[in-house]
Amino acid sequence: MDRSASTTPKTSHTEMRDNVAKKGDEQLEFVDDLQNLGLDRYIELPQLVVVGDQNTGKSSVLQAITRLPFPVNESMCTRFPTEVVFRRSKPGSKTIVRASIRLGKVRRKDTALKERVKNFNFTCDELTPQVMEKIINEATQSIFGVDAIGKDSRLDTGLSDATLRIETSGPNEKHWSIVDLPGLIQGKKYINMRQDDRSSYGKRDASPENLPSGSPSPESSTSDITVAEDLVRTYLKNERSIILAVIDPADYQRHRIFSLIEHIPRLNERLIGIITKCDMKQEGSDTWITNLLKNKPQTSFCPLKHGWFALRNRKPKEVDATNDERDSLEKAEFSKPDWQDVPKDRTGIRSLMTYVNAERSNQIRTSMPALIDEIEGRLQKCLDELDAMGGERDSPQSQRLYLWKVANHFQHLSDEALSGRYEDAVFDKDNTKLRLVVQDRLEIFAQQISDMNAIPIPFESVAPNSERLTSNSVYPAQSGQPDIYSWILQEAKSHRGTDLPGDINCGVKRHLFRRQSTHWGHMAFQLFEDVREMVGSCTDVLLFEVCPDAKLISRIRKFLNSAMVHWIAEARRELTELIEENQKRLLFTLNPLYFSSSSKGMQLEIGEDASDGSSDLFPAHTNGRLTPNSNRQTPMKHADTAKSIIRGMSTLPNGYQIQSVYQIHDSLYSYYNIALWRFVDNVAMQVVERHLVGSRSPIRALNAEFVGTLSDVELAELAGEDAETTERRKELRETEAMFTKALLKWEEIRSL
């Protein structure tokens, strides 16, 4: 395989590149400096990229531009991206050529490929044709294996997205880059066409053994087609690059680049079209070639904003021709009458590079504001991340100081969240307003637990049920369920012991209350879990606010979780005791409202008039809820009727007096209301406030006192930097210096 390109002296190698990067343009020099600083790793900088189908002469175009020995052998297509980077080094320094391979996304997990690429490392002091051939051969072996060398690419069209990067640095170089991509491959549809259909693609015989360049061999795989197109699309995304779209005179309709132009928005505005092998154009093809070069919408099937150029490539027998000889042959070709209708500034490598130079300068000028904005934005992002990381944490003193700052900031924010001040910007998020969301949840708890519909057997007024009890009907026929009075009577019967006839066992009221308050525990524990989740969510947001280091946050959260286990256990124990006090212990209250309500109830039971002629017996339930500060207005408008009913009642079964049933109801209702609001307040104060959002809240665990108690070993485990964090800090500082130098250089240019 002969990859020789020229025997011209090496001083002419930079001739055409000098034409592309002139010193007079300060902004071009600025881009050169950005390349030299290494900003191309972070920001898309202008590149010269050649795309096109296989065997259309892409590499020959780059060879003509750069005077470098890109592969031009017809039997060898580019099988992986080859990126050539030029960097200017300090005056007096030596020229150094380095080659490396970067894995692509498709085969990044290929273990064998990783092992081969890891051992690829090439360094020399001059990029001659022989060196270029050696680099490409060794890279091919590393990417595809030892057996890949020497095969005809038309029979072995395996492609890879691994990129060969050849970097040349020297005092006489210009900072820019060029890229040779694998050619786009046509699908098998073209090969499977009938003979007469294939011939419509062009005048040349389209049989499989004489396919036009760019068509696949029968062995071409779908993966190769996909890899080639994905690679091209990746490079086309850089809108700051100059894209040279290469086609040849044969079968122009099958070129994949035209499909990309149709499917990638505004791509035709960034392309410079090139028609290669123009000395080999076939009979009948001159019309569409001429129309393309004229670039008129009325006649050109693919007009581009930057138009098309015609080139003459070296023929196989001219492989040893010098660059000057190559240019002379090209000039002679376009002096022929066949090209007299084509504008002279659209033919030849000199015309192309004059336009490329002007377009590159123009594109840099127009993209410069956005480029500077991107540099400034990335610098600020870098500074923010460094500021968030704080100083280096490589000693107990630095680790404790950093953790103190984190803890103090966290406590400041948590105090605001718990006190309801919400002065910091982080409290723009509702889930950080801890006091607000907890208060809202407590109000919902109070509404739910006081809902009359939540009581197993609702309390009722006296009058509607007195007649039912006198008729000995324990279960109302219309509902099938016991009402409150029937239920009291039934429970009195089931608790009979050594009581005298007509007396009701003292344990009946306690049993009734436990039954009526069974739903309190479930509702209280649901409140507990919800508030616990609110505290955890707020803690996570505040931790991220004070410490963007994800690993440190994870370690702090682990500590807080361990602390929370203790707090949660204490809170659960407190809540369980409150529930058991209502369910297992004696009924007890000294609340005057209980005696007041019972007294008014007794007045009616013994036939005395109420002060206002109505029954003001029990604490009220408003809109279906019990309220703590008002009395229930029983709808007994006719006091005389109520009195006569009570006085004329016969005794109930087992000698129970109906007055006793009423008295149990009134007393139970009054006590239930008092106990309910006592329970609500106790849950709010003794559980939620004391253990979750008060002085014992787990959100208060991360504080300066805690940091002060840590040993050096514990500090290292909690706040020490791992190797990855140390490396990230180093990278950020280097990046900061890089972007800062870039902006200082830009200020120098602006001041000129």
Side-chain angles (χ1 to χ4, degrees):
M1 176 175 56
D2 190 352
R3 295 182 182 274
S4 299
S6 173
T7 59
T8 53
K10 69 177 183 179
T11 54
S12 65
H13 285 186
T14 61
E15 173 191 356
M16 200 61 70
R17 297 201 299 276
D18 283 338
N19 190 35
V20 178
K22 295 181 178 179
K23 276 192 172 181
D25 192 328
E26 291 82 4
Q27 291 184 349
L28 276 174
E29 286 295 306
F30 176 61
V31 173
D32 291 344
D33 289 333
L34 297 185
Q35 288 275 12
N36 192 35
L37 288 171
L39 261 70
D40 53 329
R41 289 180 294 168
Y42 305 94
I43 296 177
E44 291 183 337
L45 299 175
Q47 288 180 308
L48 184 61
V49 181
V50 179
V51 300
D53 286 7
Q54 279 189 352
N55 291 330
T56 52
K58 301 181 289 78
S59 299
S60 295
V61 172
L62 280 174
Q63 183 191 83
I65 293 172
T66 65
R67 277 19 187 186
L68 293 179
F70 277 85
V72 296
N73 195 310
E74 286 291 338
S75 65
M76 184 64 183
C77 294
T78 305
R79 298 174 61 185
F80 44 81
T82 303
E83 182 178 3
V84 178
V85 180
F86 296 92
R87 295 188 182 279
R88 184 178 54 203
S89 58
K90 296 180 179 180
S93 60
K94 295 181 179 180
T95 297
I96 300 177
V97 179
R98 297 184 179 91
S100 60
I101 297 174
R102 297 195 310 266
L103 292 178
K105 295 181 180 179
V106 176
R107 299 181 61 190
R108 184 176 294 275
K109 296 183 179 180
D110 188 327
T111 305
L113 176 60
K114 285 183 179 179
E115 192 65 25
R116 294 196 302 268
V117 168
K118 182 177 66 174
N119 298 324
F120 180 84
N121 187 12
F122 194 100
T123 304
C124 63
D125 57 5
E126 186 178 0
L127 191 59
T128 64
Q130 294 75 21
V131 170
M132 177 70 86
E133 180 176 354
K134 182 177 177 61
I135 291 174
I136 292 177
N137 283 344
E138 292 186 7
T140 303
Q141 291 181 18
S142 296
I143 295 173
F144 297 102
V146 177
D147 296 335
I149 299 300
K151 291 186 177 181
D152 190 326
S153 65
R154 291 176 296 183
L155 299 178
D156 179 14
T157 56
L159 299 178
S160 174
D161 64 341
T163 300
L164 169 63
R165 179 182 174 90
I166 304 174
E167 179 180 314
T168 302
S169 60
N172 297 322
E173 298 295 346
K174 305 298 178 183
H175 301 294
W176 62 294
S177 62
I178 55 178
V179 180
D180 185 22
L181 298 179
L184 294 166
I185 308 172
Q186 291 298 312
K188 294 183 179 181
K189 179 179 178 181
Y190 183 90
I191 295 178
N192 295 331
M193 283 184 175
R194 293 177 299 147
Q195 175 69 31
D196 54 347
D197 291 334
R198 288 199 302 267
S199 63
S200 66
Y201 274 73
K203 297 298 182 179
R204 188 171 64 181
D205 178 25
S207 60
E209 64 273 11
N210 192 26
L211 290 174
S213 59
S215 298
S217 70
E219 292 79 9
S220 294
S221 67
T222 303
S223 62
D224 291 340
I225 297 172
T226 303
V227 169
E229 187 157 321
D230 286 348
L231 281 171
V232 171
R233 287 180 181 274
T234 298
Y235 279 87
L236 292 181
K237 289 179 182 178
N238 182 1
E239 296 189 0
R240 293 170 181 151
S241 291
I242 298 174
I243 309 300
L244 303 182
V246 179
I247 66 172
D248 60 23
D251 303 330
Y252 67 88
Q253 298 181 58
R254 51 85 184 171
H255 284 286
R256 290 288 295 154
I257 188 62
F258 296 129
S259 175
L260 292 175
I261 292 174
E262 291 177 1
H263 292 93
I264 298 180
R266 300 180 302 279
L267 179 58
N268 64 332
E269 298 178 5
R270 299 188 289 112
L271 293 182
I272 298 175
I274 298 175
I275 307 172
T276 62
K277 308 178 184 179
C278 286
D279 57 324
M280 299 173 63
K281 65 182 177 66
Q282 300 173 46
E283 182 181 352
S285 65
D286 56 336
T287 302
W288 70 262
I289 292 177
T290 302
N291 289 337
L292 269 185
L293 293 172
K294 291 180 179 179
N295 202 43
K296 294 182 179 180
Q298 299 86 346
T299 58
S300 174
F301 66 88
C302 184
L304 300 177
K305 177 182 178 180
H306 301 292
W308 292 83
F309 290 83
L311 298 183
R312 179 194 183 279
N313 291 354
R314 283 184 174 89
K315 295 180 179 180
K317 64 180 181 180
E318 301 168 354
V319 69
D320 293 329
T322 66
N323 292 318
D324 289 340
E325 290 171 344
R326 178 248 172 236
D327 294 347
S328 296
L329 291 170
E330 182 178 65
K331 183 177 181 180
E333 171 64 30
F334 291 117
S335 298
K336 295 178 180 179
D338 291 346
W339 304 99
Q340 61 182 358
D341 293 335
V342 177
K344 296 302 180 184
D345 62 352
R346 289 284 153 172
T347 60
I349 188 64
R350 295 286 176 178
S351 298
L352 171 65
M353 293 316 301
T354 298
Y355 190 90
V356 167
N357 176 46
E359 174 56 25
R360 182 170 185 254
S361 299
N362 178 66
Q363 191 168 11
I364 289 175
R365 282 192 295 270
T366 56
S367 63
M368 194 57 62
L371 187 62
I372 297 301
D373 287 345
E374 187 174 352
I375 293 174
E376 291 176 341
R378 286 183 175 270
L379 174 60
Q380 186 59 52
K381 184 178 180 180
C382 176
L383 293 173
D384 290 343
E385 187 173 349
L386 279 171
D387 183 63
M389 293 178 72
E392 292 184 359
R393 307 194 299 273
D394 54 359
S395 67
Q397 293 79 10
S398 60
Q399 293 163 2
R400 196 179 304 276
L401 177 61
Y402 178 77
L403 203 55
W404 258 328
K405 292 180 179 179
V406 170
N408 286 333
H409 191 189
F410 181 80
Q411 275 305 299
H412 171 72
L413 295 180
S414 62
D415 285 343
E416 288 193 17
L418 293 171
S419 64
R421 293 195 300 269
Y422 315 134
E423 296 176 357
D424 197 275
V426 71
F427 296 108
D428 291 341
K429 303 174 183 178
D430 286 342
N431 63 339
T432 59
K433 298 177 181 178
L434 188 55
R435 179 61 64 177
L436 169 66
V437 295
V438 170
Q439 288 292 96
D440 289 345
R441 183 61 182 89
L442 284 171
E443 290 178 3
I444 293 174
F445 168 66
Q447 292 173 1
Q448 291 175 338
I449 202 170
S450 63
D451 189 344
M452 288 291 290
N453 295 323
I455 302 175
I457 301 179
F459 294 99
E460 297 183 11
S461 59
V462 175
N465 294 281
S466 58
E467 296 178 359
R468 192 155 57 239
L469 285 174
T470 57
S471 64
N472 297 328
S473 176
V474 177
Y475 292 92
Q478 64 270 28
S479 65
Q481 297 292 331
D483 59 47
I484 185 69
Y485 294 102
S486 301
W487 180 48
I488 292 173
L489 182 58
Q490 183 183 21
E491 292 299 319
K493 292 178 182 179
S494 65
H495 280 75
R496 289 183 66 194
T498 60
D499 312 298
L500 294 173
D503 289 345
I504 297 179
N505 191 295
C506 61
V508 170
K509 191 183 299 184
R510 185 166 60 249
H511 176 76
L512 295 173
F513 173 77
R514 290 173 182 170
R515 175 71 182 277
Q516 294 291 69
S517 61
T518 53
H519 60 292
W520 292 8
H522 169 73
M523 290 185 175
F525 270 110
Q526 186 60 56
L527 166 71
F528 173 80
E529 293 298 331
D530 289 348
V531 175
R532 175 185 173 184
E533 180 66 26
M534 293 171 182
V535 173
S537 176
C538 179
T539 300
D540 289 343
V541 176
L542 297 187
L543 274 178
F544 185 79
E545 179 70 17
V546 302
C547 179
D549 187 338
K551 292 183 178 180
L552 180 55
I553 288 178
S554 178
R555 293 193 289 267
I556 292 176
R557 186 183 287 115
K558 184 178 180 180
F559 157 75
L560 291 178
N561 288 341
S562 63
M564 185 173 286
V565 169
H566 170 74
W567 267 290
I568 295 306
E570 288 293 321
R572 283 184 178 276
R573 186 160 38 252
E574 187 100 37
L575 180 57
T576 301
E577 288 180 1
L578 289 176
I579 295 172
E580 290 180 350
E581 284 177 356
N582 287 281
Q583 289 293 306
K584 297 182 179 180
R585 298 180 183 179
L586 298 175
L587 307 186
F588 178 80
T589 183
L590 294 177
N591 194 317
L593 290 177
Y594 175 78
F595 300 103
S596 174
S597 298
S598 299
S599 174
K600 290 185 178 182
M602 288 297 296
Q603 289 175 12
L604 279 183
E605 289 171 8
I606 63 177
E608 297 180 4
D609 292 334
S611 60
D612 59 356
S614 63
S615 301
D616 188 11
L617 299 181
F618 316 118
H621 59 87
T622 305
N623 295 326
R625 293 188 181 89
L626 297 171
T627 58
N629 299 317
S630 59
N631 290 325
R632 177 180 177 184
Q633 303 294 331
T634 306
M636 295 181 63
K637 298 181 180 179
H638 305 289
D640 293 337
T641 302
K643 294 175 186 177
S644 63
I645 291 174
I646 294 174
R647 289 169 180 167
M649 284 182 182
S650 62
T651 58
L652 298 172
N654 303 107
Y656 293 124
Q657 299 297 318
I658 195 168
Q659 297 97 315
S660 300
V661 175
Y662 287 161
Q663 184 179 8
I664 292 292
H665 173 275
D666 300 346
S667 175
L668 179 63
Y669 189 95
S670 179
Y671 183 80
Y672 181 91
N673 189 56
I674 292 170
L676 170 71
W677 293 106
R678 180 175 61 195
F679 179 76
V680 170
D681 286 345
N682 286 342
V683 170
M685 295 300 297
Q686 297 182 33
V687 179
V688 174
E689 185 65 30
R690 179 182 298 172
H691 294 282
L692 297 179
V693 296
S695 59
R696 302 182 186 177
S697 173
I699 201 173
R700 297 183 182 276
L702 181 61
N703 52 46
E705 181 180 355
F706 157 72
V707 176
T709 62
L710 294 174
S711 66
D712 290 351
V713 175
E714 291 171 328
L715 273 173
E717 292 178 353
L718 187 60
E721 289 185 349
D722 54 20
E724 184 177 347
T725 302
T726 302
E727 184 63 27
R728 178 57 179 165
R729 186 190 303 278
K730 178 182 177 182
E731 180 184 351
L732 286 172
R733 285 176 174 171
E734 292 174 352
T735 306
E736 175 195 2
M738 185 188 310
F739 287 136
T740 301
K741 288 179 181 179
L743 292 176
L744 289 175
K745 180 64 178 178
W746 175 245
E747 290 300 322
E748 292 177 6
I749 294 175
R750 291 180 58 186
S751 63
L752 294 177

